[in-house]
């Protein structure tokens, strides 16, 4: 698509120069759902945020919520599955903040279909947005994260990537791939004190799961020992822990946030 990023208003030079010593996080797919919850929770913990999304409106709203916590925020429109967009995104982070401490690879999509009906297009799309994006963002973020001296990468996997799910062969493959990337980069980037971990949510109430038919939802929830769907904040709590100083000696791990549905 764009081959470049578009910045929302208010961000770049506007505010918060005084907070230049604050940690800076990039959160992809921050325009709603889990990404927004992560961005706002990080802000509440004193982190400045770059909210990235396909749509600028959602990212702008998230940036405004971050600013409500007194943190600096910019909104950027980028397709994280496209290398030129990702390259431009991290160039903008360097230009506007001059540092990066936390990368949360959260952007994700589903295009569910049984094997016989799954198109090559929807295989490629889901793998590109959920998995290739993680590779691209890590690759372009690593120089900035090295400079921070204690970088954190948190990737969003899924219970589906751990246990499989009928109708989600594309998504399951991509999310299992995210676990492979996490374990590998946990080893590879340790020499620069960059930790790399994943969070694997179960069934979380967001736009992504809104369309799940009532019958399937009931069946799914019956398989959850805690007997409820998770909230975006349930996931954000785990992401923020892995992004915090408290997780300094944790790397290459997958933290399940699934109410006990898969252990
Ligand atoms: P969501 O509500 O659908 O939000 C996903 C966000 O990612 C949207 O704002 C979307 O933008 C953005 N996005 C999609 N493709 C993008 C791209 N190519 N570049 C940049 N941004 C893009 O999903 P969610 O439920 O919060 O899920 C967040 C993450 O958790 C995903 O990785 C998902 O796979 C994972 N997860 C979710 C669940 C769950 O039950 N919800 C369970 C396990 C794992 P647009 O709005 O413009 O499309």
């Amino acid at each position: 698509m764009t081959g470049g990023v578009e910045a929302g208003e208010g961000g770049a030079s506007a505010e918060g120069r005084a907070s230049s010593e604050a940690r800076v996080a990039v959160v992809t797919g921050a325009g709603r759902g889990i990404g927004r919850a992560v961005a706002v929770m990080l802000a509440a913990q004193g982190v400045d945020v770059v909210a990235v999304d396909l749509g600028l409106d959602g990212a702008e709203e998230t940036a405004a919520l971050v600013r409500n916590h007194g943190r600096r925020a910019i909104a950027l429109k980028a397709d994280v599955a496209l290398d030129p967009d990702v390259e431009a995104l991290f160039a903008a982070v360097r230009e506007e903040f001059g540092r990066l401490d936390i990368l949360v690879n959260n952007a994700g999509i589903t295009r569910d279909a049984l094997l016989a009906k799954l198109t090559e297009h929807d295989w490629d799309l889901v793998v590109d947005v959920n998995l290739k994006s993680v590779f691209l963002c890590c690759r372009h973020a690593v120089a900035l994260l090295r400079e921070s001296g204690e970088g954190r990468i948190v990737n969003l996997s899924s219970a589906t990537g751990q246990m499989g799910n009928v109708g989600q062969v594309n998504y399951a493959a991509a999310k299992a791939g995210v676990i492979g990337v996490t374990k590998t980069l946990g080893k590879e980037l340790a020499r620069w004190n960059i930790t790399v971990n994943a969070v694997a949510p179960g069934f979380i109430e967001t736009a992504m799961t809104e369309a799940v038919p009532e019958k399937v939802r009931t069946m799914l929830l019956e398989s959850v020992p805690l007997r409820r769907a998770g909230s975006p904040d349930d996931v954000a709590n785990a992401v923020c822990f892995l992004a915090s100083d408290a997780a300094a000696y944790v790397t290459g791990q997958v933290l399940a946030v699934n109410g006990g549905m898969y252990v």
Side-chain angles (χ1 to χ4, degrees):
M1 46 148 263
T2 56
V5 292
E6 190 183 318
E9 311 168 18
S13 51
E15 56 194 277
R17 288 291 185 205
S19 68
S20 61
E21 291 312 308
R23 292 196 304 161
V24 175
V26 165
V27 183
T28 70
R32 63 175 192 227
I34 293 169
R36 172 170 290 175
V38 168
V40 173
M41 200 175 281
L42 284 170
Q45 296 173 6
V47 177
D48 292 342
V49 175
V50 179
V52 180
D53 210 282
L54 266 185
L56 199 49
D57 288 352
E60 288 278 23
E61 282 170 28
T62 300
L65 294 170
V66 167
R67 290 186 202 111
N68 287 344
H69 285 276
R71 302 316 315 173
R72 187 174 172 219
I74 62 171
L76 295 178
K77 175 179 158 72
D79 181 342
V80 290
L82 298 179
D83 190 56
D85 276 26
V86 176
E87 186 175 15
L89 151 64
F90 288 99
V93 173
R94 184 177 286 286
E95 167 99 9
E96 302 303 339
F97 288 89
R99 67 182 291 163
L100 179 67
D101 304 275
I102 300 162
L103 167 63
V104 182
N105 285 308
N106 166 79
I109 58 167
T110 53
R111 292 292 183 275
D112 297 350
L114 293 172
L115 179 64
K117 295 222 163 134
L118 181 65
T119 62
E120 186 180 357
H121 173 272
D122 281 355
W123 171 274
D124 288 344
L125 183 65
V126 165
V127 171
D128 283 358
V129 174
N130 290 284
L131 177 58
K132 184 179 164 191
S133 67
V134 177
F135 154 66
L136 293 176
C137 287
C138 289
R139 198 175 58 158
H140 286 291
V142 80
L144 276 159
L145 290 170
R146 277 178 65 173
E147 290 164 25
S148 100
E150 47 179 354
R152 298 272 187 275
I153 297 174
V154 185
N155 301 319
L156 268 293
S157 178
S158 168
T160 295
Q162 297 176 300
M163 58 195 272
N165 194 26
V166 173
Q168 292 198 301
V169 65
N170 49 359
Y171 185 74
K175 292 302 192 183
V178 168
I179 293 173
V181 170
T182 300
K183 288 178 182 290
T184 299
L185 294 186
K187 291 183 162 66
E188 206 172 304
L189 303 184
R191 76 190 74 172
W192 296 305
N193 202 27
I194 299 170
T195 65
V196 188
N197 292 289
V199 172
F203 189 83
I204 311 298
E205 298 282 11
T206 68
M208 184 177 271
T209 49
E210 240 166 38
V212 173
E214 202 49 45
K215 213 170 128 190
V216 179
R217 171 184 295 265
T218 307
M219 207 179 68
L220 270 170
L221 291 181
E222 275 167 6
S223 71
V224 176
L226 285 176
R227 285 286 187 264
R228 67 169 176 89
S231 69
D233 276 355
D234 286 325
V235 181
N237 275 317
V239 172
C240 288
F241 163 66
L242 292 169
S244 74
D245 288 342
Y249 200 54
V250 180
T251 198
Q253 301 304 304
V254 182
L255 179 49
V257 181
N258 60 23
M261 77 192 280
Y262 172 81
V263 283

